[in-house]
Amino acid sequence: MEHIRTPKVEHVSLIDRASPRKPCVGTLYLTASHSIFVEHDAERHRETWVLHSLVCLVEKLPTTPAGCPLLLRCRNFQVFQFIIPQEKDCQDVHASLTRLSRPERYAELYCFSFNPNTDKEAREEGWSAIDLQAEYRRMGLPNHLWQLTMANRDYRVCDTYPSDLYVPKSVTTPIVVGSSKFRSRGRFPTLTYYHRDNHATICRSSQPLSGFSARCLEDEQMLQAITSSNPGSSFMYVVDTRPKLNAMANRAAGKGYENEDNYSNIRFQFLGIENIHVMRSSQQKMFEVCDLRSPTMTDFLWGLENSGWLKHIKAILDAGVFIARAVAEEGVSVLVHCSDGWDRTAQACSVASLLLDPFYRTLKGLMVLIERDWVSFGHKFSHRYGHLDGDPREVSPVMDQFLECVWQLSLQFPCAFEYNERFLLHLHEQIHSCQFGNFLGNSQKEREELRVRERTHSVWAHLWMNRADYINPLYRPDHSQTQGVLRPATAPYCFKFWRGMYCRSEQVHQRPPTVTDVLTTVREESQQLEAELSAQQEVPRGTAHPPVLSCFLMMCKMEIKLCALHCIFYLLKCRFPCHRGEPESLLQGVARNKLKSSDPDLSTNSDQESGVTDLSCLSPSSGEDSVKDPDSDEAAYSTA
Amino acid sequence: MEFAELIKTPRVDGVVLHRPFMPTVEGTLCLTGHHLILSSRQDNTEELWLLHSNIDYIEKRFVGSLGTIIVKCKDLRIIQLDIPGMEECLNIASSIEALSTLDSVSLMYPFFYRPMFEVVEDGWNMFLPEEAFKEIETLTDEWRLSSVNKDFGVCPTYPQLVAVPKAVDDDTLRKVATFRHGGRFPVLSYYHKKNGMVMMRAGQPLTGTNGRRCKEDEKLINATLRPGKRGYIIDTRAINVAQQAKARGGGFEQEASYPQWRRIHKAIERYNILQESLIKLVEACNDQSQSMDRWLSKLEASNWQTHVKEIVTTACLAAQCIDREGASVLVHGTEGTDSTLQVTSLAQIILDPCCRTMRGFQSLVEREWLQAGHPFQQRCAQSAYSNSKARLEAPVFLLFLDCVWQVLRQFPCSFQFNEHFLVLLFEHAYASQFGTFLGNNAAERLKLKLPQKTVSLWSWVNRPQEMERFLNPLYEPNNLVIWPSVAPQSLLLWEGVFLRWNRSSKCLDEAYDEMVHIIEYNKELQSKVNALRRQLAQLETGDGLLETP
């Protein structure tokens, strides 16, 4: 609270980027956790909530006659531009938000103050909703080939790994310890995914400390044990997800990659995913493209190419496809590593798991997958997503890329995923917002030290509670597309620009409904109709009664039916206030619902640039004539 | 039969057919006057029936005595035929080449095709100009149908009947025709019911370098303005292109002569630039072995998406002038047969909900493309694979369909027809058993006696059993003007056409079926509930009767 210099500023304008000449005027409030903009318009009374921890940049632009513009860039790629009448107020808000959006200690994070009104039991239940032991059991472990090792109890061997890990049955604690000493940060090879159909596995680790010639007997034994715990194959793949050049450079620092000669029966392969710095600057370049005001097609396509973003997404998906093919089609186990084994390795392993096992394409399954491959295996969430004010070189969109791979796959297999785009966007936001404790810190150990289970809430319970919002209407568990291994095409033209993620601007109500929106509405309606119909069929049909009684029963029945029908009509009315095809009505409904829920920010994923809007800035520059449209900024669909 | 001499080898056995995403088939290849047929003579394998007119280009290769013909089709598909025997292969290849480039229209397949279905509603009579005008007549009396072009003497590319301002007589029209490119004097293209504003189209004015004027032309277009109101002239050429046109006798409306009109120039490309763009795009889509950088750079270099953006933007501009500014609009480029039609027809899709229905869209294609004199036969003679130097070929209509697809994708519930219908129109514009897209204008179609000698595409499409495939299950009539986004990230590559043969569509088709299933199930439930309601109403009245005595 001490950082808030001005809790309330009046007569602030919020600029909609699509129609900059029609700002809404209102009051800006600063609270400990949010900036809240309340529109003055008596009819709409819309509120815009921006979580401080989602803000990544507060920028004061040069003062204009209208006032001082203040730009908030958010980690979920939303941008808000306010105009504050008084310079002084603007300075105060700027200073307050700059400080508030860069917490210095974990204790300042929102998750420690966020209280969703649930009791202690509900909170604990929430934390146990995703249980990794159950996940290993689901995969069929432990079994006659794989066992739980005690070696990392109390994080004795590796403090960035979870305490419960699976290794081949023949691997003893000394082998684990020996191997861990030969691996960066002690991250020894351990199981992440077990393919029940053929016993092939995906294992992960960090790079070996091989330098130019070093060897480690225990590490060699470890890999040998992994190979032999797959009875179906006489060799295993060792996959280094880095470009070959990077891996070779690491040898000079005493690290590097496995020498095929030293390990029996391995086949070594580089997969060429770039490092976190390349990815960070690539995403930055892509944002610059998205930020262009009225770009031409050439600006856009050239910028997209130049950013290299889709190339990197393809590299990650290609890596996943390689691993999944080895496991499912060749029946060969794969050991995956990069440098430390917590970024590219997590990406490659989780994409491969997603391709291999339909479970991870369910809502629950994706939660489990993220909990296993990312949270438990020590992906450095707080560093990568800048939860605390720290080294900007540690920040990188590693998880963004994984979520994007999922989205790209969902384009190719529209019926295969139980969750929809909204779920991925929401997940992305939660990873950055620190509203829940799941993604705090950089390892399981840190989270235990922070006592997140006692002091914060779990995001999984929250997402699960709202799961109706996240269901892909086209998903059917029994659909052939849902079964088995996914074999995506990875030709360059299969990769699309993720507009829903990267072009999120402020207002949603101008966007026409998408196919998913419509189908979701129709499906919900069908479910309600089903419920009503089955309720009616339960009413007994009696005719063998005396006339008076039967008449009475008939009246009773009628009343029930009337009641049910009223319900149905009421529901239909709610669903479709006017025409179903009219974009506005539907989406305002969505927007309203969203405002009520705890996360007001998600309702705003759209690009509402309309032809009309763009025209105002596309008038020919050769300029003999041009259309000057006084209200070309008007909401495009208000012409009704 | 006159084709016989072109077919040296009518039949070859043991030919192997390779098609994208389909199993290879071995069978007998037969050539007929209009088709290339491959049949395996087994019951359960699909046969190939390919119209010669669909073949854009062929390549021959030989390995020993095994010849291979790669057939590149106008619908962008590429198939491969392995033919044993060099002589057979050469004969087949030369026959295909000859048969796919017949120069006489009357030898084309539509003149030989006999429908296997009963023509219930003749497509040739479905969208007559007088019918289309009837509706406008009920709304306004400011326009009339003129038969000044009855013998195609005033404008060879216009239909016999055109809608013009009532205040302008036929003599004036004849004079205006001499002042407009190709005699294409301004005619009514669209009447906006909401505010009575209109969109007209024409050829460029023939001002030449010395700024010729034509009082009748000024009178004609001014007759469409309300007192004190201004109108907009949208010239689909960049200002420098329009300037250059003066040297060739063309030009644009000078402010001094048309003080009540504001002129706006937009740069929509024409002819060979579009054709080259299509060739580059298809080449990029067919290159399977490229990196992401190469793909994006080729996609960009093809400029196809730029053309799409430019056309949608210009159509939005025209629609904006009419709907928002309450002004009338005149659209023209040079001839008024290409970019002009792209703009006027797309603007109608944006403005008029009728054009988004199945019939309304057919009517739009008929009115704004076929009767308006878009030279389909010239433009669609070759597609993306042709090596011959394109002179008149250009994917103008394909670009229009692409733009419609973009709007459809952005407003998935506002169209009664689906993407398949747009793809169908693309295919039939380039090669068809129907006569609809033959000829270059109404005069040619009349001369060829197409309505008497060929079947109309509309006759076939509008049969309930065919139409079903082309209906959009999500359609809910939307009476609003729909404003598409023209931001580059909102305009996608039309995969349904350009990647159609390069990726398996199985999963996407399944998703479509699932969507249909969801909608149909909902309808079923709705009708059950409605039935219950009726039952209830009966019970209610029945009870009322019981209680009254």
Side-chain angles (χ1 to χ4, degrees), chain B residues 72-125:
Chain B
K72 300 186 171 183
C73 303
K74 290 181 186 159
D75 62 12
L76 308 182
R77 173 172 36 163
I78 297 179
I79 59 174
Q80 183 186 326
L81 296 164
D82 296 340
I83 300 169
M86 187 178 290
E87 196 192 332
E88 283 84 353
C89 186
L90 284 171
N91 284 346
I92 295 281
S94 70
S95 299
I96 294 177
E97 266 167 355
L99 290 166
S100 61
T101 52
L102 298 173
D103 14 308
S104 169
V105 184
S106 54
L107 291 179
M108 303 283 258
Y109 185 52
F111 288 95
F112 299 82
Y113 169 73
R114 293 291 158 261
M116 301 292 280
F117 58 89
E118 193 196 342
V119 176
V120 184
E121 195 181 10
D122 188 354
W124 288 113
N125 301 323

Side-chain angles (χ1 to χ4, degrees), chain A residues 124-376:
Chain A
E124 279 165 11
E125 217 171 284
W127 276 109
S128 49
I130 301 298
D131 174 9
L132 283 188
Q133 287 320 305
E135 159 64 0
Y136 288 107
R137 280 198 299 278
R138 186 194 68 84
M139 289 192 281
L141 300 178
N143 63 7
H144 64 289
L145 299 165
W146 292 85
Q147 60 171 349
L148 186 66
T149 172
M150 297 293 158
N152 204 33
R153 278 287 138 92
D154 304 321
Y155 308 105
R156 277 181 306 221
V157 178
C158 173
D159 61 358
T160 59
Y161 262 179
S163 54
D164 292 342
L165 289 163
Y166 285 84
V167 292
K169 200 127 204 179
S170 61
V171 168
T172 58
T173 301
I175 293 182
V176 170
V177 173
S179 165
S180 82
K181 287 188 176 138
F182 188 64
R183 295 270 168 184
S184 270
R185 302 189 193 254
R187 293 171 69 93
F188 59 89
T190 176
L191 177 137
T192 172
Y193 175 75
Y194 176 77
H195 201 55
R196 282 185 99 139
D197 301 352
N198 58 10
H199 307 296
T201 57
I202 303 175
C203 295
R204 58 186 287 175
S205 71
S206 59
Q207 63 186 337
L209 303 176
S210 50
F212 290 101
S213 58
R215 293 183 63 162
C216 168
L217 183 64
E218 289 91 343
D219 197 61
E220 287 161 25
Q221 285 173 332
M222 176 69 105
L223 265 60
Q224 179 59 46
I226 293 173
T227 307
S228 8
S229 36
N230 176 8
S233 171
S234 58
F235 72 98
M236 75 185 287
Y237 284 110
V238 176
V239 161
D240 189 328
T241 57
R242 298 170 292 184
K244 188 172 181 184
L245 209 65
N246 300 24
M248 283 168 65
N250 264 296
R251 285 165 74 173
K255 300 166 188 172
Y257 53 91
E258 291 81 356
N259 183 341
E260 271 182 350
D261 300 337
N262 297 344
Y263 294 84
S264 46
N265 309 316
I266 68 163
R267 287 188 196 169
F268 187 83
Q269 178 82 30
F270 287 112
L271 289 180
I273 304 175
E274 297 289 350
N275 65 27
I276 57 168
H277 311 296
V278 173
M279 301 307 194
R280 180 178 54 243
S281 83
S282 167
Q283 199 186 41
Q284 191 53 45
K285 281 188 199 146
M286 191 179 57
F287 290 151
E288 283 159 20
V289 180
C290 300
D291 251 13
L292 293 175
R293 192 89 185 98
S294 313
T296 64
M297 194 51 87
T298 300
D299 293 339
F300 175 72
L301 288 174
W302 190 85
L304 192 61
E305 179 200 337
N306 191 45
S307 76
W309 182 256
L310 288 178
K311 176 173 70 186
H312 300 313
I313 299 293
K314 174 169 155 59
I316 296 163
L317 197 59
D318 279 331
V321 169
F322 177 90
I323 298 165
R325 193 176 294 153
V327 169
E329 273 156 39
E330 296 179 58
V332 178
S333 293
V334 185
L335 170 67
V336 186
H337 70 72
C338 48
S339 299
D340 291 313
W342 49 42
D343 295 314
R344 287 169 272 201
T345 300
Q347 288 174 331
C349 291
S350 49
V351 169
S353 301
L354 200 69
L355 295 174
L356 286 165
D357 192 336
F359 172 64
Y360 303 120
R361 296 172 227 143
T362 65
L363 204 58
K364 182 89 180 276
L366 187 67
M367 297 179 184
V368 167
L369 182 66
I370 291 173
E371 189 70 23
R372 188 191 74 202
D373 276 351
W374 297 81
V375 177
S376 89

Side-chain angles (χ1 to χ4, degrees), chain B residues 284-524:
Chain B
C285 292
N286 287 341
D287 185 350
Q288 304 280 352
S289 62
Q290 59 195 342
S291 70
M292 183 65 79
D293 286 352
R294 209 168 135 80
W295 156 246
L296 287 173
S297 121
K298 280 178 157 184
L299 179 63
E300 190 273 304
S302 80
N303 265 329
W304 184 266
Q305 296 295 92
T306 301
H307 303 318
V308 170
K309 181 168 153 62
E310 207 53 55
I311 295 165
V312 181
T313 306
T314 310
C316 283
L317 177 75
Q320 185 188 6
C321 292
I322 292 169
D323 188 68
R324 293 289 178 81
E325 300 275 313
S328 286
V329 172
L330 169 67
V331 184
H332 70 74
T334 304
E335 291 89 347
T337 53
D338 295 282
S339 56
T340 304
L341 306 182
Q342 289 173 329
V343 173
T344 56
S345 53
L346 196 61
Q348 292 179 53
I349 299 266
I350 293 167
L351 291 167
D352 186 1
C354 289
C355 294
R356 298 173 222 141
T357 64
M358 191 73 181
R359 275 228 167 196
F361 188 68
Q362 293 171 20
S363 161
L364 181 76
V365 170
E366 186 75 31
R367 246 183 314 124
E368 290 296 296
W369 290 88
L370 291 160
Q371 290 166 13
H374 175 67
F376 275 97
Q377 196 164 314
Q378 292 173 352
R379 298 287 178 264
C380 301
Q382 300 285 334
S383 173
Y385 299 119
S386 165
N387 267 4
S388 61
K389 184 92 181 115
R391 294 190 324 277
L392 299 168
E393 292 81 4
V396 178
F397 187 61
L398 174 58
L399 263 167
F400 161 69
L401 295 174
D402 193 331
C403 295
V404 176
W405 177 78
Q406 304 285 350
V407 185
L408 188 150
R409 205 193 56 80
Q410 291 185 28
F411 295 86
C413 306
S414 300
F415 288 79
Q416 194 185 16
F417 52 90
N418 59 19
E419 181 182 353
H420 301 314
F421 187 56
L422 298 174
V423 176
L424 177 93
L425 291 184
F426 158 59
E427 290 174 341
H428 283 270
Y430 279 85
S432 177
Q433 66 269 44
F434 302 107
T436 299
F437 293 105
L438 288 184
N440 290 306
N441 48 53
E444 281 188 29
R445 273 189 289 275
L446 197 75
K447 212 169 138 205
L448 289 165
K449 295 199 171 66
L450 291 182
Q452 293 81 34
K453 292 187 168 171
T454 71
V455 181
S456 163
L457 172 64
W458 313 133
S459 305
W460 177 72
V461 149
N462 287 311
R463 300 166 71 236
Q465 53 272 59
E466 300 302 334
M467 178 120 81
E468 204 176 345
R469 281 188 293 147
F470 304 119
L471 290 177
N472 174 9
L474 295 174
Y475 177 58
E476 289 283 342
N478 170 4
N479 285 319
L480 300 174
V481 175
I482 52 175
W483 297 107
S485 162
V486 298
Q489 53 268 47
S490 312
L491 300 172
L492 305 184
L493 177 69
W494 189 9
E495 296 184 28
V497 165
F498 298 110
L499 298 179
R500 183 179 177 193
W501 312 105
N502 300 330
R503 54 154 171 71
S504 159
S505 64
K506 182 173 161 281
C507 292
L508 301 179
D509 294 344
E510 285 170 357
Y512 187 85
D513 294 344
E514 189 62 33
M515 178 173 90
V516 173
H517 170 78
I518 290 171
I519 303 283
E520 273 174 4
Y521 180 60
N522 180 268
K523 285 194 181 136
E524 199 181 297

